[in-house]
Amino acid sequence: MPARTAPSFSLEDLPIAIPKILDQAQVSTANHQKNYVALYKLHAEAVKYTEPVNNGKTTKSVGEKAFQDLLLDMVGRLLPLKKGTTVADRMIKFVGGYVKFANEKALEDRKKSGAGVHQDTETPASRLAARLLRFLLRGFLAKDKHVRYRVVQTLSEVVQHMPELDEDLYSQIRESLLDRLRDKEPFVRVQAVIGLAKLYGTEDPADLEDDQRPVSEVLLDTLAHDPSADVRRAVLLNTHPTPITLPHILGRTRDTDAIVRRLVYTVLESHCAPSESDSSLAALGATDPRFLSIAQREQIVRNGLGDREPAVRSAAAKLTGTWLEVTGGGAGKGAEAIGFLRLFDLAESGVAEDALMCVFASRGEAFDSVEFGDDYWMDMTPEKAFLARVFVDHCVAVKDSARLEAALPVVTLLAFRIQAAYNDLMEQMQDEQESAFLRGEEDEDEEEKARREDERMDKEFVIGEMLRLAVNLDYADEIGRRRMFQLVRDMISQETLPEGLLSRCLDVLRKLSPNERDLIRLVVEVVHELRDPDVDEKEATVADDGETTTYGGTPMTARTARPAKAATDTEKEKTPEEKAQADAVDLRCLSLCIGMLERVNGTFEENSTLEGVLGELIVPAVKRKEAALRERGLVSLGLCCLIARRMALNSFQLFLSQVQAAPELLKTRVLQIVFDILMVHDRDFLGNDAVAGDRIVEFLLQVWGNEESEKVQALMCVGIAKLMLSGMVTDERVLKSLVFAYVSPETAGNQELRQCLSYFFPVYCYSSPANQRRMQKIFVPIFEELSQVYKELDDEQEMITPASVVAMFVDWTDPQKAVAVRGQAADDLVHVDLATEIVRALFGKDMQKEDKKALCQAFSKLYMPENVDDDKIRTLKLLMHNLTSRRPLRDTTANNALARFDAAISKKYEKQLEDFNEEQYRQLESLKELFEFLDDIIPESDEEEETPKKKVSRKRRSMSVASTTTATTTDREESVTPSVDSGRGGRAKAKKRARLSTESDTESNATEQPSRAPSEAPVHPSRVLPARSARVKAKSRAVAQAASEDSEEEEEESEPQPRKRGAQRGSKAMREKDEEARLDREIDDLLEGDEPDSIMDSDEDEAEEVGELLDA
């Protein structure tokens, strides 16, 4: 049989053969390799087909040109196809794969022919790729977004398979891709990122011109600032982690998109192990934790394990498990866990504990491999102590009693280990003091000093972890319990005990004490021993001769406090060194009292032992001028007030007086105390029958509005938000102030405050229908106020638009999102009433067109329930009808929105509106106010143009959100609620705060002036704040007295003369000195006395005492 001969090649066959091959390739990627071979054969045959030109001197590649033209024609047919078309994606992948196959075959052919490999040698494959790339570059500026997408996608696919590129072509591709990186379509930018990532590794920054940015810098900038999450994901997937790019990658752990955050941990895990090309044992992955800094490791774990999305937490947990494998090296019995802990700073944060807990929870083999033998406790290191403590805490959390019993050491053994470690620490501290004394003023080597400090911190950390472990021990062994009790008791009795170990010791004593009374008795004894060591030795000698109280028995009676006069005489005789030592002892005693009071849940009456400490230590500390002593004294007094109702009533005025003039740190602590007292004793201060509740709220709002420190503003915002969320405060003034603070441009830089309120408002509104009703009531006045502020913004200030404010309120008041509350009926009519209020507001002639447009945009988002009260829906319909006829909207968009809403209401409630008669409706007494409102509306003629509202002067810019807008405002609403943005600093703030009242406010105050108490002074012409607001300080002084005395008598007795701001310009130092002297006198009046204030006084004595204190 004769051999089969291949058919001869003809150019006429190309238009049939090439589409046939491409048609097969678009069906499936499985046949791509076969079609690569077939297409390459056609390409090779076409290259051979030439024609002579110039009388046979040269040849023309007619076949190669025909092949390229056909292939480009086929590629061009793919470009208009939309994103997501599977056929087009397969074809683009086939074209890129063929370019790679053709280049590889050309390289093999050159090697077989022995011509060698020359990078500059042109091949049919390189010529085809170059022409294809130039063809694609022509479509980068196409108007069709799908064409731009396909050309960038195809170019990115081809470029990655090119062994080399012409320099001019490379520059064109680079500039075109950078230009498409700014495309308005995200999917085009994604493909541009992929294409630039292919050029990233071949670019040399030295070859760039001065005005050209490196591709790596452009990609990192896109990673941080591109608004599309898909683009940021594309950059993450195509960026190799290096020391330069790693900080930018870790910054995406706080990305707004959950998929991007999860992808960060996937990328870090994939590069944690060394690549397959590097098989050396010493090789480490690009993101090996040992390459990262401690701050970077903690950032990864903190952001990952603390993420709100379960998928992100799972990816972070998987990464921490990989770290355990990489650092452990296969070691067993807890060795790999110890190596894992060396990656973190154990003492500074709780990140290491979270990471280890995550490893125990996700990797059971790591948890099972940990063992604690007798040798484990011999030489304790920070890592070993930390591992043992976290292991025990994990066993307690998962209730694994078997592993817990096996892991816990014997109580006596642990007590001896703690004692040995503590003695070692004391010896080191004593050696350092002796060496410092002998060395004198000679400077010690910094490295040696740092080494000793680290060693001391490690020992202190080990002791602290063993004490935390001791809390979970089983104290059934009486000998071990007594041993541990005596050890910890002796430790807190020493002045040299580090401050950080104090709370750990108190936790152990709380565990060992039978009840709180024994714990209090023990701490009080230690306080007396520290302050009077000589007296305690004599008393101990006398106690040895008599009958002693055993541990756990009846607590001993507290010693009588030392006479104040004798203490004063002794204080005068002390040298400065002795005074400093006494102050240090008092600070330690106050720390003990704070730690003890934080662990007490009983009342003050049940623990009379605290009386002595209160009068002998806490009250004198409050009267001291040293900041540290006063701060701890106030904290101790505040903790006492939490468990003593009468003491809280007596001392609350003291804390309020400290708020006004205290430095920032002390003010922060005092405000925490104030809010804690209000939360615990809410009925006494904020209850319905508490007269002082409104004054306390007014005082807090004034302090908040005048505060300049962002930290204090955020703290007060958190405290006030808690009071609102718990229902203790329901004042609409407070709610207005919170809304104003949330959107005010003055709080744009206070992220802590903004974060608090962004969580508060949805929770507050959705937790109760009553809360949504309050938000609905304040919407219109707060919108008018905020829209005015928005119009008067400075160039450098930023604020959300009034339309965004409307959208927020519509969302917050959506009754479909409210949670059902037991005892409260669902309120589905909130949006109905909101629509009514909006339509009423649209009648206003002073409201500008933009504001009306923003309000009308809310109509389409309102929820209208199926069942609505007839009166409500008819009222709404009547208002819209009168608005259309008497005050038609001039803006087309607003008018169309109102018309659509009107038509929807008419259609949905057709049956309820069909018998509606306005004349009969007017006869209803309950709607008298509505028709009076409508009758007062003056119709506008069609020819009358809407006059633009004259710009409000700067004088009225910062109206309080609680200021009144009508003459019918109640007396409570007259008082101005200061907002947190009421000042900007310096004299500008004072001027701005002085412009909080409108002309209508002044007229209202003048009208109501005769009905006020005779003791109230008339409003001064130069004073723009309402008089009651100016007297807020005087009212705050009488907060505690207001619950028991008549309010009129209180105003007559406590009203001070009004101050004129700016009337006197004394030196700042003199004013501060006078203010400090005044506060000292008030504190002395409140706290001085022959006997310490007792909680056991009768009610009559208490009332007289309170009156005397507040009148002083």
Side-chain angles (χ1 to χ4, degrees):
M1 182 177 179
R4 180 181 300 177
T5 58
S8 59
F9 177 79
S10 175
L11 288 179
E12 287 75 10
D13 299 335
L14 286 178
I16 300 175
I18 292 179
K20 184 178 180 180
I21 293 174
L22 297 180
D23 184 61
Q24 294 179 3
Q26 71 180 0
V27 176
S28 173
T29 58
N31 57 20
H32 279 191
Q33 188 64 33
K34 178 189 72 173
N35 289 302
Y36 290 157
V37 177
L39 188 61
Y40 183 74
K41 288 181 179 180
L42 288 176
H43 193 185
E45 293 295 334
V47 170
K48 296 177 182 178
Y49 195 91
T50 60
E51 290 182 356
V53 294
N54 295 332
N55 298 325
K57 294 180 180 180
T58 58
T59 58
K60 182 179 180 180
S61 301
V62 181
E64 182 177 2
K65 186 177 183 302
F67 180 86
Q68 293 178 358
D69 291 342
L70 280 171
L71 188 61
L72 293 181
D73 180 60
M74 296 295 105
V75 172
R77 300 184 184 189
L78 301 172
L79 302 183
L81 299 181
K82 295 182 179 180
K83 179 180 180 293
T85 306
T86 309
V87 175
D89 295 336
R90 292 198 192 105
M91 285 304 304
I92 292 174
K93 186 176 181 180
F94 177 79
V95 171
Y98 176 72
V99 172
K100 178 182 179 183
F101 180 82
N103 281 300
E104 291 175 352
K105 294 295 291 184
L107 182 61
E108 292 178 4
D109 293 342
R110 287 201 302 270
K111 288 182 178 180
K112 290 179 181 179
S113 63
V117 180
H118 300 286
Q119 296 294 333
D120 297 335
T121 303
E122 280 193 355
T123 62
S126 64
R127 290 192 294 269
L128 173 65
R131 186 178 177 189
L132 178 60
L133 291 175
R134 289 189 173 90
F135 168 75
L136 294 172
L137 287 173
R138 291 162 54 192
F140 269 56
L141 299 178
K143 293 183 179 180
D144 191 345
K145 60 183 179 181
H146 303 296
V147 174
R148 296 198 306 273
Y149 168 72
R150 290 300 178 185
V151 295
V152 178
Q153 181 188 18
T154 308
L155 183 139
S156 301
E157 186 70 27
V158 172
V159 163
Q160 64 178 330
H161 300 306
M162 292 290 294
E164 61 180 2
L165 283 174
D166 181 72
E167 187 172 347
D168 294 337
L169 182 60
Y170 174 85
S171 299
Q172 294 180 21
I173 294 174
R174 183 181 185 277
E175 294 301 325
S176 300
L177 288 175
L178 289 175
D179 185 52
R180 286 306 94 206
L181 201 58
R182 296 187 294 271
D183 196 281
K184 64 179 181 179
E185 301 297 336
F187 51 82
V188 177
R189 300 200 300 272
V190 168
Q191 296 302 323
V193 166
I194 296 174
L196 286 172
K198 309 305 178 185
L199 307 178
Y200 169 62
T202 61
E203 185 179 67
D204 187 4
D207 298 337
L208 299 177
E209 298 180 2
D210 295 338
D211 58 342
Q212 288 183 330
R213 296 175 63 191
V215 172
S216 59
E217 184 179 339
V218 175
L219 290 178
L220 293 177
D221 184 70
T222 303
L223 176 64
H225 302 105
D226 196 282
S228 174
D230 293 334
V231 178
R232 300 195 298 273
R233 287 198 294 268
V235 179
L236 267 179
L237 289 172
N238 292 276
T239 302
H240 185 76
T242 63
I244 296 176
T245 62
L246 196 58
H248 299 273
I249 294 176
L250 297 184
R252 292 301 93 203
T253 57
R254 306 297 292 177
D255 196 277
T256 56
D257 185 69
I259 300 178
V260 174
R261 299 197 300 271
R262 177 176 59 83
L263 189 60
V264 172
Y265 298 96
T266 304
V267 170
L268 293 175
E269 184 188 2
S270 62
H271 292 85
C272 192
S275 60
E276 297 179 358
S277 59
D278 194 352
S279 59
S280 60
L281 296 177
L284 298 175
T287 59
D288 189 284
R290 287 164 287 190
F291 278 161
L292 308 178
S293 64
I294 293 180
Q296 289 176 335
R297 299 172 200 149
E298 293 185 350
Q299 179 186 1
I300 292 171
V301 175
R302 183 189 304 109
N303 295 345
L305 298 182
D307 198 277
R308 60 180 176 269
E309 293 292 334
V312 181
R313 295 197 299 269
S314 177
K318 190 175 180 182
L319 176 63
T320 54
T322 305
W323 284 3
L324 180 69
E325 295 176 356
V326 171
T327 57
K333 295 187 178 181
E336 61 179 7
I338 293 176
F340 174 74
L341 291 175
R342 292 194 179 99
L343 299 174
F344 304 97
D345 187 354
L346 305 180
E348 293 298 327
S349 65
V351 175
E353 182 175 354
D354 296 337
L356 190 57
M357 284 284 195
C358 177
V359 168
F360 285 158
S362 60
R363 293 183 175 255
E365 65 277 7
F367 177 72
D368 297 335
S369 63
V370 178
E371 295 181 3
F372 302 102
D374 294 338
D375 297 337
Y376 186 89
W377 308 97
M378 295 300 295
D379 185 17
M380 294 297 291
T381 62
E383 291 77 16
K384 293 173 68 175
F386 186 85
L387 175 62
R389 197 266 304 168
V390 174
F391 183 87
V392 171
D393 288 347
H394 179 73
C395 292
V396 172
V398 300
K399 299 180 180 180
D400 191 348
S401 57
R403 293 302 306 274
L404 179 62
E405 185 177 355
L408 288 176
V410 180
V411 178
T412 306
L413 173 63
L414 185 61
F416 278 114
R417 294 302 172 198
I418 295 175
Q419 183 177 0
Y422 180 71
N423 292 338
D424 191 16
L425 176 63
M426 293 297 102
E427 290 177 2
Q428 179 182 351
M429 295 174 63
Q430 186 176 0
D431 292 341
E432 291 178 359
Q433 293 177 358
E434 292 178 356
S435 61
F437 177 77
L438 295 175
R439 188 170 54 253
E441 299 181 356
E442 297 180 3
D443 294 335
E444 186 181 2
D445 186 18
E446 292 296 333
E447 295 183 0
E448 180 66 19
K449 184 177 181 180
R451 186 190 64 80
R452 288 187 178 182
E453 182 68 18
D454 292 341
E455 185 178 353
R456 186 184 65 80
M457 293 296 294
D458 288 345
K459 292 180 179 179
E460 183 178 338
F461 179 79
V462 169
I463 298 172
E465 291 302 302
M466 288 193 291
L467 288 172
R468 295 179 68 179
L469 176 64
V471 175
N472 294 314
L473 292 179
D474 183 8
Y475 290 99
D477 180 15
E478 184 64 22
I479 297 177
R481 184 176 64 172
R482 289 179 177 272
R483 178 68 182 137
M484 181 68 73
F485 175 82
Q486 188 62 38
L487 171 65
V488 178
R489 201 264 185 210
D490 292 341
M491 289 173 64
I492 65 173
S493 302
Q494 298 187 15
E495 300 177 17
T496 55
L497 178 70
E499 191 79 16
L501 298 179
L502 209 56
S503 60
R504 309 298 182 206
C505 293
L506 290 174
D507 288 335
V508 177
L509 289 177
R510 182 184 181 186
K511 172 77 174 181
L512 295 174
S513 301
N515 49 53
E516 291 182 354
R517 298 182 64 186
D518 279 14
L519 176 63
I520 294 173
R521 173 188 57 81
L522 176 63
V523 174
V524 170
E525 286 181 356
V526 172
V527 168
H528 282 289
E529 290 177 7
L530 290 172
R531 304 188 79 225
D532 300 312
D534 298 335
V535 176
D536 288 321
E537 290 179 1
K538 297 178 181 179
E539 292 182 355
T541 304
V542 175
D544 290 340
D545 298 336
E547 187 178 296
T548 60
T549 303
T550 59
Y551 169 73
T554 304
M556 296 187 301
T557 305
R559 299 185 185 87
T560 305
R562 293 175 299 169
K565 185 175 181 180
T568 305
D569 296 339
T570 307
E571 189 73 17
K572 294 180 180 179
E573 298 174 358
K574 290 182 179 179
T575 62
E577 292 79 8
E578 292 175 345
K579 291 182 179 180
Q581 179 65 22
D583 291 344
V585 172
D586 287 345
L587 285 174
R588 167 53 57 87
C589 294
L590 288 171
S591 298
L592 277 171
C593 292
I594 292 173
M596 171 195 64
L597 292 170
E598 289 175 345
R599 291 160 176 80
V600 171
N601 296 319
T603 62
F604 200 93
E605 293 89 339
E606 297 173 353
N607 301 284
S608 58
T609 315
L610 294 172
E611 286 283 348
V613 177
L614 177 66
E616 184 179 355
L617 178 63
I618 297 177
V619 172
V622 174
K623 299 169 64 175
R624 296 290 295 272
K625 297 185 181 298
E626 292 81 0
L629 284 169
R630 176 178 286 188
E631 176 189 348
R632 296 194 185 184
L634 287 171
V635 173
S636 301
L637 183 61
L639 291 172
C640 290
C641 292
L642 296 182
I643 60 176
R645 171 183 167 275
R646 295 178 184 176
M647 188 184 300
L649 293 173
N650 293 342
S651 305
F652 193 72
Q653 174 58 35
L654 169 65
F655 296 118
L656 295 183
S657 65
Q658 291 292 309
V659 168
Q660 293 178 314
E664 180 178 344
L665 180 60
L666 183 58
K667 183 181 293 186
T668 301
R669 302 304 298 270
V670 174
L671 283 172
Q672 291 174 346
I673 296 170
V674 169
F675 285 116
D676 286 345
I677 293 176
L678 292 177
M679 294 289 288
V680 174
H681 305 291
D682 57 305
R683 294 184 178 180
D684 297 304
F685 292 100
L686 304 172
N688 295 330
D689 55 346
V691 182
D694 292 343
R695 299 176 181 178
I696 293 175
V697 171
E698 187 176 352
F699 173 79
L700 292 176
L701 290 178
Q702 184 189 30
V703 173
W704 190 22
N706 296 333
E707 184 56 49
E708 300 179 5
S709 172
E710 291 187 353
K711 185 176 181 181
V712 178
Q713 284 182 3
L715 174 63
M716 295 199 68
C717 177
V718 172
I720 294 174
K722 286 182 179 180
L723 294 176
M724 289 291 296
L725 191 59
S726 61
M728 299 177 184
V729 175
T730 57
D731 197 334
E732 292 182 2
R733 296 176 302 167
V734 181
L735 197 56
K736 289 180 180 180
S737 297
L738 290 173
V739 174
F740 201 87
Y742 184 46
V743 299
S744 171
E746 300 295 336
T747 62
N750 195 341
Q751 295 300 321
E752 186 177 356
L753 182 145
R754 289 289 182 94
Q755 183 70 18
C756 167
L757 293 178
S758 64
Y759 174 81
F760 164 76
F761 282 115
V763 175
Y764 177 78
C765 295
Y766 303 153
S767 62
S768 171
N771 295 341
Q772 287 187 328
R773 179 61 67 178
R774 294 190 189 98
M775 295 296 292
Q776 174 258 318
K777 291 180 180 178
I778 69 170
F779 167 65
V780 172
I782 201 69
F783 172 79
E784 294 174 350
E785 178 73 17
L786 291 175
S787 61
Q788 185 63 33
V789 174
Y790 181 78
K791 294 178 180 63
E792 299 179 356
L793 284 178
D794 296 337
D795 295 337
E796 67 277 3
Q797 291 180 322
E798 295 182 359
M799 180 181 173
I800 62 175
T801 62
S804 300
V805 174
V806 174
M808 285 193 309
F809 270 87
V810 170
D811 180 71
W812 290 340
T813 56
D814 189 353
Q816 301 176 97
K817 297 183 178 180
V819 179
V821 180
R822 182 180 300 176
Q824 290 188 15
D827 191 356
D828 293 336
L829 304 179
V830 177
H831 274 183
V832 178
D833 293 338
L834 182 63
T836 303
E837 294 296 327
I838 291 176
V839 176
R840 278 175 172 265
L842 293 175
F843 279 97
K845 297 185 63 175
D846 294 337
M847 183 174 289
Q848 295 189 6
K849 181 175 65 175
E850 293 79 7
D851 296 339
K852 293 184 177 181
K853 181 179 178 181
L855 287 175
C856 290
Q857 290 176 354
F859 287 137
S860 61
K861 304 175 183 178
L862 297 178
Y863 168 71
M864 293 290 144
E866 297 294 333
N867 300 321
V868 181
D869 182 69
D870 292 349
D871 290 345
K872 287 184 178 293
I873 197 64
R874 290 175 179 177
T875 300
L876 178 59
K877 179 65 177 177
L878 182 62
L879 285 170
M880 288 191 293
H881 173 71
N882 281 269
L883 177 65
T884 305
S885 59
R886 301 188 181 188
R887 293 284 175 86
L889 302 178
R890 303 297 181 182
D891 183 73
T892 304
T893 305
N895 195 24
N896 292 339
L898 178 63
R900 287 193 298 268
F901 183 68
D902 191 4
I905 292 296
S906 301
K907 181 179 179 181
K908 189 170 185 177
Y909 305 103
E910 182 179 2
K911 294 182 179 180
Q912 295 176 264
L913 296 173
E914 59 184 1
D915 297 332
F916 175 56
N917 188 341
E918 182 176 343
E919 295 301 328
Q920 296 179 359
Y921 209 49
R922 281 181 175 270
Q923 305 303 321
L924 298 178
E925 184 67 24
S926 59
L927 299 178
K928 182 178 179 181
E929 187 271 336
L930 171 63
F931 285 101
E932 290 178 354
F933 169 77
L934 292 176
D935 293 340
D936 292 339
I937 300 298
I938 302 176
E940 293 182 355
S941 62
D942 296 338
E943 295 81 6
E944 185 179 3
E945 295 292 335
E946 181 181 13
T947 58
K949 182 180 178 181
K950 186 177 180 181
K951 185 175 181 181
V952 182
S953 64
R954 304 290 291 183
K955 186 174 182 179
R956 297 179 58 183
R957 173 184 172 188
S958 297
M959 286 176 56
S960 169
V961 294
S963 59
T964 57
T965 56
T966 64
T968 60
T969 309
T970 61
D971 184 59
R972 173 185 297 184
E973 292 174 342
E974 280 186 18
S975 59
V976 176
T977 304
S979 58
V980 295
D981 66 329
S982 59
R984 299 187 184 178
R987 296 174 59 187
K989 292 186 177 181
K991 292 178 180 179
K992 189 173 180 181
R993 295 186 190 124
R995 303 188 189 110
L996 290 176
S997 294
T998 61
E999 296 175 2
S1000 60
D1001 293 333
T1002 307
E1003 295 173 0
S1004 175
N1005 292 337
T1007 304
E1008 297 178 1
Q1009 192 67 31
S1011 62
R1012 295 187 177 182
S1015 60
E1016 295 184 5
V1019 180
H1020 197 278
S1022 64
R1023 186 187 187 94
V1024 292
L1025 281 174
R1028 294 187 59 186
S1029 178
R1031 293 196 305 271
V1032 66
K1033 182 176 179 182
K1035 293 179 182 179
S1036 64
R1037 292 190 58 193
V1039 166
Q1041 191 179 4
S1044 59
E1045 296 185 3
D1046 186 82
S1047 58
E1048 296 180 357
E1049 296 177 0
E1050 174 202 294
E1051 291 184 2
E1052 294 175 358
E1053 294 174 1
S1054 62
E1055 180 181 2
Q1057 293 296 329
R1059 293 184 301 174
K1060 295 183 179 180
R1061 294 186 180 180
Q1064 296 180 355
R1065 300 179 178 270
S1067 65
K1068 183 177 181 181
M1070 183 63 69
R1071 290 197 303 270
E1072 292 180 352
K1073 185 175 181 181
D1074 294 342
E1075 184 68 18
E1076 182 179 357
R1078 184 187 64 79
L1079 288 177
D1080 290 340
R1081 288 195 301 271
E1082 291 182 4
I1083 295 173
D1084 291 340
D1085 293 339
L1086 289 172
L1087 298 177
E1088 274 187 352
D1090 297 335
E1091 296 181 0
D1093 184 27
S1094 175
I1095 201 65
M1096 312 304 292
D1097 294 340
S1098 62
D1099 294 339
E1100 292 80 8
D1101 296 340
E1102 178 191 358
E1104 296 177 1
E1105 184 179 0
V1106 172
E1108 294 174 359
L1109 288 175
L1110 295 177
D1111 291 337

